[in-house]
Amino acid sequence: MSSINVDVSLKGSLRNADTPCDMAEIEEIDFSRIFDRPPRPLNMDRQRSCDERSLSELSTGLPIPSPRPSSRVENNFRLIDHLNFLPSPGRRSGFNTPLSQFGVETHPTVAEAWEDLRRSLVYFRGEPVGTIAALDNSEEQVNYDQVFVRDFVPSALAFLMNGEPEIVKNFILKTLRLQSWEKKIDRFQLGEGVMPASFKVLHDPVTHNETLMADFGESAIGRVAPVDSGFWWIFLLRAYTKSTGDTSLAEKPECQKGMRLILSLCLSEGFDTFPTLLCADGCCMVDRRMGVYGYPIEIQALFFMALRCALLLLKQDEEGNEFVERITKRLHALSFHMRSYYWIDLKQLNDIYRYKTEEYSHTAVNKFNVIPDSLPEWIFDFMPVRGGYFIGNVSPARMDFRWFCLGNCIAILSSLATPEQSTAIMDLIESRWEELVGEMPLKVIYPAIESHEWRIVTGCDPKNTRWSYHNGGSWPVLLWLLTAACIKTGRPQIARRAIELAETRLIKDNWPEYYDGKLGRFVGKQARKFQTWSIAGYLVAKMMLEDPSHLGTVALEEDKQMKPPIRRSNSWTF
């Protein structure tokens, strides 16, 4: 691997910069509905950064030309790539500013959102290091007064897009220090690379000293360590580097070591026959027992995103090159596995419906021995003629057909989904708007489980009753993920419609954590008010619609050399 030549400067990058995009492509994406004037001119002289380097190029050290787009979908993605990998402007956007940068009057919700977000800041020895989960003082806070790694992500993105990166840098370094702590639950020691789920600043009134107290799962409900924290940490490190153009943070020896420790955990060899990660219930955003054990889409998509981000950030020294080689092999296997076995559309659903069972040998079609009678009744009405999505889980004799919003959005942003699959996911959202969006964006999982199945799957969890919390609840934080996915796929009008819907209620309802009901009509029965990531998710969504070049902070270009699987459906050409 010594011949690998990776440019980790991550300064502004453009794919196919010598190929200008014409007006027909712009009209297809219909950016005129977002802006009063066209996007600012592209700088066609910038060099490609590592974002455009394919995995094969990293493996061989040889440049590989990008194929010319051959369809409307690819043309849309080509234009998005131009916007996608412009360096983020780093300007303030929407706070203490009566007009946005495009001359459009800022929605009144934006200023209040910024005020509430700043009230959630947590300081350690005089420096901001994160935001607490919620500002709601009306009930017992439990752990909502702590800084959660996953919860801070939209806050971090809001500050980055607003030209305030220092708090993000402080957060990255503080959580990195916590990673080095000895981590024990009862008498068992966790892996060295585990990142904390959350931390809290403790003030000593006598000595006036401040210390950090971290939770690695030993205090969590269910005592489950967060698998996603390390992946979100790598994602934020790349977002910081991309937004600021400052590579010095990622190049610090402690940051390089922190990444390698995380990667060592998830790339370790074992008994697995799949490239996906085996996980327990409660290890991610769905942090209670909800039947996501096994190989949940949220973790697999985040795993894929983190591997691709790490590939851009690792130094080309002896240790770094070793991990680059391992990451490259894993990404090829993971992308094939996910695109082949997690993807479903109408044609694939019909194939599963006709599966034969007890097949043996390499020629088996039903590789996981899924019994067709296990197909849930709702899936037949839910699946539209045009559209598809990555299902929730695949493991022996089990396919979880539920829709998981976060996993599908991250699949689009990381380019785990092909351009055609990404378009199909957007088609599904539009076709099933009432079910997935309703009156308050956005369903975290669809559909809800109930009755006897609810008792078995959740252990009679009173918080996860049907259409509540993670069991079919609606979470405003998901707006930023939906918006980024919409912009990348050339469908910003979907995001605009969802944001306008949320703006009618979020301030009036005091920024709830989640909403209940089939349509998201009711404030969640146990939802905290002034939930920080509800506030930040809204702000990030607004800033990305205002300036789509922010997309480059959270999204990665498709790697043309990760070949899609053999065509399995007539609905989409892979």
Side-chain angles (χ1 to χ4, degrees):
M1 297 301 297
S2 59
S3 63
I4 296 175
N5 182 19
V6 182
D7 175 12
V8 294
S9 66
L10 296 181
K11 294 179 181 177
S13 54
L14 290 170
R15 182 170 64 85
N16 295 337
D18 57 343
T19 307
C21 47
D22 56 36
M23 288 305 297
E25 292 170 338
I26 295 177
E27 288 171 0
E28 284 181 7
I29 299 180
D30 195 18
F31 276 102
S32 63
R33 297 185 63 180
I34 298 179
F35 307 122
D36 283 347
R37 65 182 188 183
R40 62 177 179 272
L42 304 176
N43 183 350
M44 309 304 265
D45 297 325
R46 292 189 181 272
Q47 292 182 340
R48 291 193 313 160
S49 78
C50 186
D51 287 20
E52 291 76 55
R53 302 290 183 89
S54 70
L55 296 181
S56 294
E57 184 176 344
L58 288 170
S59 300
T60 63
L62 299 176
I64 296 181
S66 300
R68 294 182 60 84
S70 58
S71 68
R72 181 184 176 200
V73 171
E74 289 183 341
N75 285 337
N76 282 353
F77 270 76
R78 182 177 64 176
L79 177 59
I80 292 301
D81 285 338
H82 282 288
L83 291 171
N84 196 359
F85 297 101
L86 279 171
S88 294
R91 65 167 63 85
R92 293 181 179 271
S93 173
F95 181 60
N96 290 335
T97 308
L99 297 178
S100 74
Q101 59 175 300
F102 295 101
V104 181
E105 187 173 348
T106 303
H107 194 280
T109 305
V110 172
E112 290 197 38
W114 271 113
E115 182 179 345
D116 290 333
L117 180 60
R118 294 185 188 283
R119 288 197 299 121
S120 72
L121 283 169
V122 172
Y123 291 82
F124 178 68
R125 298 177 183 175
E127 292 187 332
V129 293
T131 52
I132 62 173
L135 287 162
D136 189 354
N137 297 317
S138 61
E139 302 181 47
E140 181 187 359
Q141 289 186 337
V142 191
N143 55 0
Y144 282 77
D145 61 342
Q146 298 187 24
V147 180
F148 282 80
V149 173
R150 78 172 67 95
D151 288 43
F152 180 67
V153 170
S155 296
L157 296 176
F159 286 116
L160 286 175
M161 293 177 185
N162 203 45
E164 302 176 69
E166 198 62 28
I167 180 178
V168 183
K169 181 177 182 179
N170 293 339
F171 173 86
I172 288 171
L173 293 175
K174 290 297 180 291
T175 48
L176 188 63
R177 285 182 54 194
L178 297 174
Q179 183 198 39
S180 64
W181 284 14
E182 183 181 65
K183 301 172 276 287
K184 280 189 176 181
I185 297 182
D186 294 331
R187 298 183 181 182
F188 181 72
Q189 186 162 323
L190 278 66
E192 190 178 0
V194 174
M195 278 286 181
S198 63
F199 66 86
K200 185 176 182 178
V201 178
L202 299 179
H203 304 268
D204 189 324
V206 178
T207 63
H208 301 291
N209 286 332
E210 291 181 338
T211 56
L212 295 178
M213 180 182 71
D215 175 16
F216 294 92
E218 70 272 23
S219 300
I221 296 173
R223 301 301 189 266
V224 178
V227 176
D228 61 342
S229 287
F231 299 154
W232 282 125
W233 186 88
I234 293 175
F235 171 83
L236 270 190
L237 181 60
R238 186 261 172 190
Y240 171 89
T241 307
K242 180 68 178 178
S243 177
T244 64
D246 175 18
T247 63
S248 63
L249 178 61
E251 291 171 353
K252 284 179 176 289
E254 56 266 38
C255 284
Q256 292 289 312
K257 181 182 178 182
M259 276 191 290
R260 292 196 300 268
L261 288 175
I262 296 169
L263 294 169
S264 293
L265 274 179
C266 58
L267 294 175
S268 59
E269 296 176 350
F271 290 96
D272 291 311
T273 56
F274 313 138
T276 42
L277 285 180
L278 183 63
C279 304
D281 257 330
C283 67
C284 54
M285 178 183 175
V286 184
D287 59 1
R288 299 165 80 97
R289 180 176 165 185
M290 269 294 294
V292 300
Y293 62 88
Y295 306 90
I297 178 64
E298 177 176 330
I299 290 297
Q300 313 315 319
L302 280 171
F303 180 33
F304 187 88
M305 172 67 89
L307 289 179
R308 291 204 63 195
C309 289
L311 202 60
L312 308 176
L313 299 170
L314 285 168
K315 277 188 173 182
Q316 296 179 68
D317 52 22
E318 184 175 350
E319 291 178 299
N321 286 340
E322 177 189 348
F323 277 98
V324 166
E325 185 174 7
R326 293 170 66 185
I327 290 171
T328 301
K329 290 179 179 178
R330 190 62 167 266
L331 281 172
H332 278 286
L334 186 60
S335 63
F336 175 84
H337 184 89
M338 299 295 294
R339 292 170 179 177
S340 297
Y341 304 121
Y342 277 68
W343 181 255
I344 190 168
D345 55 20
L346 188 59
K347 174 62 168 60
Q348 181 64 9
L349 177 61
N350 193 68
D351 290 344
I352 297 171
Y353 179 72
R354 292 169 50 82
Y355 267 170
K356 292 178 173 61
T357 59
E358 304 299 325
E359 293 183 305
Y360 181 75
S361 85
H362 298 288
T363 61
V365 175
N366 185 1
K367 293 179 187 267
F368 300 95
N369 197 36
V370 174
I371 311 300
D373 286 346
S374 68
L375 284 165
E377 288 295 328
W378 63 266
I379 187 68
F380 297 102
D381 292 328
F382 179 73
M383 181 61 66
V385 175
R386 284 183 58 86
Y389 65 101
F390 290 98
I391 63 175
N393 218 316
V394 176
S395 56
R398 181 191 181 206
M399 297 183 80
D400 183 349
F401 291 94
R402 286 177 296 175
W403 155 268
F404 287 77
C405 180
L406 192 151
N408 275 272
C409 287
I410 292 292
I412 292 174
L413 298 182
S414 65
S415 289
L416 170 60
T418 65
E420 293 79 10
Q421 287 173 332
S422 299
T423 298
I425 293 171
M426 289 294 112
D427 287 340
L428 176 84
I429 293 173
E430 282 197 305
S431 298
R432 296 293 175 255
W433 185 266
E434 184 173 350
E435 292 92 337
L436 301 180
V437 181
E439 296 184 15
M440 174 54 66
L442 195 64
K443 288 293 181 205
V444 63
I445 296 174
Y446 181 88
I449 52 178
E450 48 191 318
S451 303
H452 184 58
E453 185 184 10
W454 166 78
R455 288 190 287 271
I456 293 174
V457 172
T458 73
C460 299
D461 185 355
K463 194 168 186 177
N464 270 327
T465 54
R466 63 177 184 171
W467 307 114
S468 180
Y469 200 53
H470 288 136
N471 189 13
S474 299
W475 291 70
V477 63
L478 297 171
L479 274 172
W480 80 264
L481 287 156
L482 175 67
T483 300
C486 288
I487 294 173
K488 189 177 182 192
T489 54
R491 311 276 276 276
Q493 67 277 5
I494 298 177
R496 168 178 290 222
R497 182 181 174 191
I499 291 171
E500 289 176 350
L501 195 62
E503 284 175 336
T504 63
R505 295 184 59 190
L506 284 177
I507 281 189
K508 181 179 67 175
D509 295 336
N510 293 322
W511 304 101
E513 179 183 15
Y514 64 94
Y515 286 79
D516 286 351
K518 276 191 174 183
L519 299 178
R521 183 170 293 174
F522 309 101
V523 173
K525 59 186 176 184
Q526 294 188 41
R528 295 306 194 274
K529 299 293 184 70
F530 296 101
Q531 184 80 14
T532 304
W533 70 354
S534 296
I535 298 167
Y538 164 76
L539 286 171
V540 173
K542 290 288 284 188
M543 284 189 280
M544 282 193 291
L545 269 187
E546 181 183 297
D547 182 0
S549 69
H550 285 308
L551 181 67
T553 303
V554 300
L556 298 171
E557 182 188 15
E558 181 194 13
D559 188 328
K560 297 294 185 181
Q561 303 309 313
M562 280 194 293
K563 300 296 185 184
I566 298 173
R567 183 178 173 185
R568 300 180 59 176
S569 168
N570 292 328
S571 299
W572 305 100
T573 302
F574 294 160

